[in-house]
Amino acid sequence: MTGSTAIRVENLSKTFDTAAVLHDFTLDVRAGELLALLGPSGSGKTTLLRIIAGLDFPDAGRIVFGAEDATKLPVQQRAVGFVFQHYALFKHMSVADNIAYGLNARKRSERPAKAEITRRVGDLLDLIKLSGFADRYPSQLSGGQRQRIALARALAVEPRVLLLDEPFGALDAQVRKDLRRWLREIHDRTGQTTIFVTHDQDEALELSDRVAVLDKGRLEQVGTPDEVQEAPVSATVLKFLGDTIEVEAIAQAGEVRVDGQLTPVVAPAGLVGPVKLYARPWQLQFAEADRAHLHGTVRSSYRTQGRQRIEVDRPGGKTVVVEASDTARLAAGLPVGLRIVGGHVFPN
Amino acid sequence: MAQSLRPRRRFRQPSVIPGFGLTLGYTLTCLGVIVLLPLAALVTRASGLGLSGIWDVATDPRVASALRVSFGVSLLAALTASVFGFLIAWVLTRYTFPGRKIVDAVVDLPFALPTAVAGIALASLYAPNGLVGAQLAKFGIEAAYTPVGIYIAMVFIGLPFAVRTVQPLIVEIDREIEEASATLGATRLHTLVRVVLPPLIPAVLTGFALAFARGVGEYGSIIFIAGNLPYVSEIAPLLIVIKLSEFDYGGACAIATIMLGISFVTLLAINLIQAWSRRRFGYV
Amino acid sequence: MSKAIPHGDIGRPASVVTEGSRVRWLLIGTAIAFLALFLVLPLVTVFVQAFAKGWEAYLAAFTEQDAHAAIRLTLIVAAIAVPFNVVFGIMASWAIAKFEFAGKNLLVTLIDLPFSVSPVVSGLIYVLVFGAQGLIGPWLIEHDIQIIFAVPGIVLATIFVTFPFVARQLIPLMQEQGTAEEEAALTLGASGWHAFRTVTLPNIRWGLLYSVLLCNARAMGEFGAVSVVSGHIRGLTNTLPLHVEILYNEYNFVASFAVASLLAGLALVTLAVKSGLEWRYSADIAAGARGH
């Protein structure tokens, strides 16, 4: 379903006032894919999205749509569908007028006939499951409904690419989950090239075909959700994708040792000497003291969604969180040993 | 559980804050003595005339002409003030340029400058030998001592109302709305006309109504420039003063009542516009 | 199909939510020209005319007894009307903003009423109450109390036209601030008066100052209402604006504009302080700043 390059972002740089937001940024977006731009706030992801849309302009670099250089193409001619975080619906227009807006804004010669517009609006209302809402006003709709209207409005102009800025940011948890699944469905049905910005790892990993992880205006890694999770290219990516435990380790000849004990973690070729080992909470297991890599005492434990999370105080004041299947609750103050069963190492 | 469960409608919601009786009592007393009682005197006097009495005064040719001048010219002036007021409000909120804050402050000049001062200044500027009057005379336009002069004074006095009612709403426009319109392919002009302007219309109408009401009642800034020729450039407030000086209290009251009536209708219109706008857009 | 669009100045990208720079400058130019012609030019004229015959002629206008009397009366009127409206405004806004009661909207509308009454009508209604033919006129004459064509009438008319200024500024301001802080003060043992002085007043002080400024400008500059009730008795019931009118009608233009320049100066100071307050304390006065 995904294939040739639909949009190419080439050596893009952007500075606001004095702060650089994007540095020499390059990224290919494939036709038909659902791509997530994931990064902490201030990573430049929204600026990138706005530059692709033509709402902001880069200081250097190019935006190529298919074979066409779109860098200087005005936003009106880019044919992008942009869904704003706060929807930006037109309050004084009915739902139908909102959706039809892009079509009505066309020059008379390019504008579809009235009946055709009405039909398209009807189809889109069906697609977003809001048939019968055509004559409502935005103020009469819930947040989730407004978000869907905003999407339909963007789709109505048959955009080359759909751009969504934190599409679920303003919604509460349950609506968010439903809309995520629904967006995926819509994407699978329309095959529309889609880029969405999020700071929520779960959202990016669950929803997208590929994830581009941004940090401080640079592209850290781009790949499928599995790729970025299994083979993160940097500690930044790894840390951003979930909770991690950081442990001092020594790498030598591909082996990684913690506290003199060999771990199952493999060091990449060439990485030798003191390194940092990063493990997920579930990559630690309780173990007998002589097999353990780490030692400490239980500080507290709590249960969440069938798993148990145990905070363990290590000597030197560091606390690590271990995730274990639901076992008996461990008493605070109990000395425990922890064994590392997986993880990644990166240079110090 | 002796209390009835049915919520009792009461005059005031309970509150721990003290001073309700004192402050409300004082407020009502002042309002009554300063505002309501004197206005009631006018209403009493006017009702003594009866509707036919008021009608007789209103249809007196000189009075009718003065009312026509006051309302007609004020309508035109409010229209002008609304158009340029919108433009000024837009420029002040959306563009940056050197001296913007000074220009913003200047808009309030008619609020601060005593009307008599504005009046003699406008009169001397627009007199046939005045700075602007002489220029206008070249084009055959007589400003002073004609309705044109009245119009100029009314624009002066109404402008800040037109600017200050739309300005806060232009500030509040969500830029994303305009960006959304642009991404959907709309030209800038289309965006302005279809997306930006419609929600501002209630505010523009409110500003128009305020400028209009102010223009109709205005006295000090007009009488110097107007020349006050009966049937030509005599305004209704001046006629009240004239009637008073002739001790024709009935006539003065009748004109005042008509003007008051129009003020109330305007005030009502403003409230209706704002109620409608709240319903439709969720804000004023 | 790709049309190049201007990128704007270096470092200032062209925004899609504004007009082209040529349109922008055209609109800015139109706005400034309009304001210059309609607002600034009359102001400048006042000073130009006042100094048309030099400093001496200018100063001569203020050596007259009548001018002194007018200045004195204007100050007296403002010194009564402004404090009156400050007390009223604070009382009214406390009652309206801090409590919920039936008929509140009507009360607010009634307080606003003087704004929509023509100044001339404002004067007229006092003549109808206190004048010789007025409601209590005969009684006043009997007791030898003069209100109309005397200072009390001028004060009353001035209070009427400036009646809403303070209240209308403070009501939205106090409403925005709610009652939580006062309630907190009361739970901490403060008396109502103490809570007002230490909690409410500091919160509204800039808004209050702002409204006092505007109220004062209007009180000193009111013409129509005062003109109707004053009787234009030179040296006795002439305020500065009325003095300006008399001099102007006597074709004593330099003196007229000289006195007017005093009032224009007051307006400029008012505007300057007002703008200064707005720039510095915009948040503290914003709630009440919509319209006047």
Side-chain angles (χ1 to χ4, degrees):
Chain A
M1 189 159 141
T2 60
S4 57
T5 299
I7 297 172
R8 189 171 161 72
V9 174
E10 241 176 53
N11 310 108
L12 218 57
S13 291
K14 173 74 181 172
T15 307
F16 277 126
D17 296 327
T18 52
V21 186
L22 291 172
H23 304 269
D24 198 18
F25 194 102
T26 299
L27 174 70
D28 280 348
V29 183
R30 296 172 191 158
E33 78 171 333
L34 180 50
L35 176 77
L37 297 180
L38 175 66
S41 62
S43 58
K45 55 193 191 304
T46 294
T47 304
L48 176 61
L49 198 73
R50 289 173 59 86
I51 290 176
I52 294 173
L55 293 172
D56 275 326
F57 295 93
D59 301 332
R62 298 203 310 153
I63 301 284
V64 183
F65 279 23
E68 180 194 6
D69 183 346
T71 315
K72 293 187 175 179
L73 198 63
V75 53
Q76 286 90 350
Q77 292 166 29
R78 288 205 187 186
V80 295
F82 200 102
V83 177
F84 291 83
Q85 187 178 355
H86 300 288
Y87 328 126
L89 292 177
F90 307 129
K91 288 193 199 97
H92 60 288
M93 291 183 196
S94 68
V95 164
D97 288 343
N98 263 285
I99 296 175
Y101 183 85
L103 300 173
N104 284 323
R106 288 186 186 167
K107 274 183 286 185
R108 198 171 293 265
S109 55
E110 294 165 20
R111 197 186 307 157
K114 253 208 171 108
E116 168 66 10
I117 293 179
T118 312
R119 194 188 59 75
R120 291 245 292 262
V121 169
D123 287 351
L124 282 162
L125 281 170
D126 288 343
L127 182 73
I128 60 168
K129 301 201 174 68
L130 284 176
S131 326
F133 281 70
D135 296 326
R136 302 270 186 104
Y137 283 87
S139 60
Q140 300 167 315
L141 304 177
S142 71
Q145 288 170 335
R146 286 180 206 179
Q147 181 63 285
R148 278 141 74 188
I149 302 294
L151 186 76
R153 184 178 69 178
L155 285 171
V157 293
E158 294 172 336
R160 288 193 278 199
V161 56
L162 190 60
L163 306 169
L164 302 99
D165 185 11
E166 298 271 5
F168 313 117
L171 300 167
D172 53 42
Q174 190 52 47
V175 181
R176 231 175 140 116
K177 274 197 175 142
D178 292 346
L179 272 184
R180 261 192 226 173
R181 200 168 314 125
W182 170 83
L183 180 65
R184 181 74 232 184
E185 270 175 40
I186 297 251
H187 177 263
D188 290 347
R189 205 172 327 156
T190 58
Q192 174 81 55
T193 309
T194 305
I195 306 175
F196 75 99
V197 158
T198 181
H199 64 268
D200 181 330
Q201 309 84 359
D202 292 342
E203 198 165 283
L205 297 174
E206 179 188 323
L207 202 53
S208 61
D209 295 320
R210 290 197 307 154
V211 181
V213 184
L214 279 71
D215 188 55
K216 301 195 183 89
R218 294 179 208 278
L219 180 63
E220 287 282 329
Q221 185 172 10
V222 57
T224 65
D226 286 348
E227 280 166 10
V228 294
Q229 287 181 93
E230 283 160 18
V233 298
S234 66
T236 312
V237 172
L238 187 90
K239 281 195 275 192
F240 191 65
L241 289 178
D243 293 339
T244 53
I245 292 132
E246 230 177 278
V247 183
E248 306 293 337
I250 305 287
Q252 198 167 29
E255 288 177 347
V256 178
R257 285 168 194 277
V258 172
D259 212 4
Q261 286 260 20
L262 185 67
T263 67
V265 180
V266 179
L271 188 59
V272 174
V275 292
K276 276 248 164 63
L277 186 153
Y278 298 89
R280 300 290 183 202
W282 60 88
Q283 289 173 322
L284 291 176
Q285 284 177 357
F286 292 107
E288 300 298 321
D290 57 337
R291 295 185 62 238
H293 297 109
L294 309 170
H295 305 273
T297 54
V298 173
R299 169 199 280 246
S300 67
S301 69
Y302 59 94
R303 282 175 200 168
T304 167
Q305 303 191 0
R307 305 281 295 171
Q308 178 150 238
R309 287 191 149 221
I310 304 109
E311 289 181 10
V312 175
D313 282 336
R314 292 178 59 207
K318 282 191 177 171
T319 304
V320 295
V321 179
V322 186
E323 204 172 291
S325 56
D326 207 355
T327 54
R329 213 169 251 260
L330 295 169
L334 190 74
V336 288
L338 293 170
R339 185 169 173 77
I340 295 164
V341 297
H344 296 271
V345 287
F346 292 104
N348 261 336
Chain B
M1 281 280 115
Q3 265 184 329
S4 155
L5 285 173
R6 201 152 54 92
R8 197 161 58 91
R9 278 185 62 88
R10 55 172 99 207
F11 169 60
R12 164 169 89 96
Q13 303 293 315
S15 162
V16 297
I17 306 239
F20 180 69
L22 173 72
T23 53
L24 187 68
Y26 185 83
T27 303
L28 291 175
T29 309
C30 288
L31 183 69
V33 172
I34 301 289
V35 178
L36 299 183
L37 213 66
L39 278 173
L42 173 65
V43 175
T44 315
R45 210 33 179 272
S47 61
L49 296 170
L51 268 183
S52 63
I54 293 176
W55 181 250
D56 285 345
V57 176
T59 48
D60 169 81
R62 189 169 165 191
V63 176
S65 153
L67 287 170
R68 209 164 34 241
V69 169
S70 275
F71 287 107
V73 177
S74 186
L75 215 57
L76 281 179
L79 206 64
T80 312
S82 293
V83 171
F84 283 93
F86 183 87
L87 176 74
I88 291 164
W90 182 264
V91 164
L92 286 177
T93 43
R94 299 304 292 263
Y95 306 152
T96 48
F97 53 93
R100 189 174 59 87
K101 284 188 166 180
I102 306 283
V103 175
D104 193 76
V106 163
V107 170
D108 280 335
L109 192 64
F111 282 150
L113 196 68
T115 53
V117 177
I120 60 168
L122 289 172
S124 92
L125 265 181
Y126 288 90
N129 58 353
L131 195 60
V132 184
Q135 301 303 314
L136 289 177
K138 286 182 190 160
F139 299 97
I141 303 171
E142 281 178 64
Y145 321 130
T146 68
V148 178
I150 300 176
Y151 165 84
I152 288 163
M154 283 179 174
V155 171
F156 173 87
I157 216 75
L159 190 69
F161 291 95
V163 178
R164 297 301 185 215
T165 42
V166 276
Q167 202 174 5
L169 279 171
I170 295 178
V171 174
E172 278 167 28
I173 294 174
D174 184 359
R175 300 265 169 133
E176 281 194 353
I177 298 281
E178 293 168 64
E179 290 181 346
S181 175
T183 62
L184 291 166
T187 60
R188 184 67 192 153
L189 188 65
H190 189 96
T191 302
L192 286 177
V193 174
R194 303 302 294 273
V195 172
V196 175
L197 212 52
L200 296 176
I201 287 173
V204 172
L205 287 177
T206 304
F208 172 83
L210 287 171
F212 170 71
R214 181 67 200 264
V216 169
E218 182 53 25
Y219 176 69
S221 57
I222 296 177
I223 52 164
F224 297 99
I225 193 174
N228 311 321
L229 301 170
Y231 304 102
V232 177
S233 60
E234 192 174 57
I235 53 169
L238 177 67
L239 213 50
I240 295 180
V241 174
I242 292 173
K243 297 263 179 209
L244 265 182
S245 67
E246 292 166 352
F247 300 102
D248 177 5
Y249 282 32
C253 281
I255 303 171
T257 308
I258 294 166
M259 289 181 49
L260 219 53
I262 301 292
S263 299
F264 286 147
V265 171
T266 317
L267 212 63
L268 189 71
I270 292 170
N271 281 326
L272 288 178
I273 291 167
Q274 294 190 336
W276 169 74
S277 140
R278 247 193 304 274
R279 263 203 318 281
R280 184 70 182 277
F281 307 116
Y283 54 82
V284 185
Chain C
M1 117 160 215
S2 93
K3 266 183 241 149
I5 58 152
H7 259 217
D9 317 333
I10 297 183
R12 292 245 346 248
S15 167
V16 301
V17 295
T18 191
E19 291 68 50
S21 74
R22 225 176 295 167
V23 175
R24 222 154 55 217
W25 285 110
L26 180 74
L27 295 181
I28 292 171
T30 311
I32 291 179
F34 187 86
L35 287 171
L37 181 66
F38 274 83
L39 267 52
V40 178
L41 199 57
L43 180 72
V44 173
T45 303
V46 173
F47 292 98
V48 170
Q49 297 280 358
F51 290 104
K53 297 207 172 119
W55 267 102
E56 277 172 34
Y58 178 81
L59 290 175
F62 300 105
T63 53
E64 264 187 274
Q65 282 298 310
D66 292 347
H68 289 183
I71 292 173
R72 204 175 314 122
L73 181 58
T74 297
L75 291 176
I76 290 171
V77 169
I80 300 171
V82 174
F84 178 92
N85 281 328
V86 167
V87 174
F88 168 76
I90 290 173
M91 290 283 205
S93 51
W94 182 268
I96 288 166
K98 303 290 180 190
F99 300 97
E100 287 304 321
F101 57 91
K104 197 156 112 168
N105 289 339
L106 178 67
L107 181 59
V108 175
T109 308
L110 289 178
I111 289 173
D112 261 356
L113 206 56
F115 271 157
S116 38
V117 174
S118 166
V120 170
V121 177
S122 310
L124 168 70
I125 58 177
Y126 284 98
V127 174
L128 294 178
V129 176
F130 301 109
Q133 291 186 37
L135 284 183
I136 58 171
W139 184 87
L140 289 172
I141 292 168
E142 218 170 275
H143 292 80
D144 205 20
I145 302 171
Q146 181 131 26
I147 289 184
I148 296 305
F149 307 141
V151 177
I154 295 173
V155 172
L156 279 173
T158 305
I159 289 177
F160 181 92
V161 293
T162 54
F163 194 71
F165 271 92
V166 181
R168 145 176 275 229
Q169 174 74 32
L170 292 188
I171 290 168
L173 202 55
M174 279 203 201
Q175 272 172 338
E176 198 173 68
Q177 280 159 357
T179 55
E181 287 185 41
E182 283 80 7
E183 282 165 1
L186 293 173
T187 62
L188 293 169
S191 69
W193 171 242
H194 189 79
F196 170 75
R197 255 189 10 213
T198 54
V199 175
T200 315
L201 208 52
N203 277 336
I204 59 168
R205 62 187 159 179
W206 298 119
L208 184 63
L209 180 58
Y210 185 85
S211 62
V212 163
L213 214 63
L214 296 176
C215 182
N216 180 63
R218 182 71 192 268
M220 290 192 170
E222 178 51 31
F223 178 73
V226 170
S227 164
V228 171
V229 295
S230 112
H232 298 82
I233 306 163
R234 285 189 99 153
L236 280 178
T237 62
N238 267 348
T239 60
L240 279 176
L242 297 180
H243 193 56
V244 168
E245 184 198 18
I246 290 177
L247 293 171
Y248 187 85
N249 287 342
E250 287 170 350
Y251 302 100
N252 192 350
F253 293 134
V254 169
S256 173
F257 278 102
V259 176
S261 75
L262 210 58
L263 289 165
L266 172 75
L268 284 178
V269 171
T270 303
L271 277 190
V273 180
K274 171 180 176 292
S275 302
L277 283 175
E278 277 171 348
W279 298 339
R280 190 165 305 179
Y281 305 105
S282 56
D284 294 342
I285 50 181
R290 279 198 184 183
H292 288 282

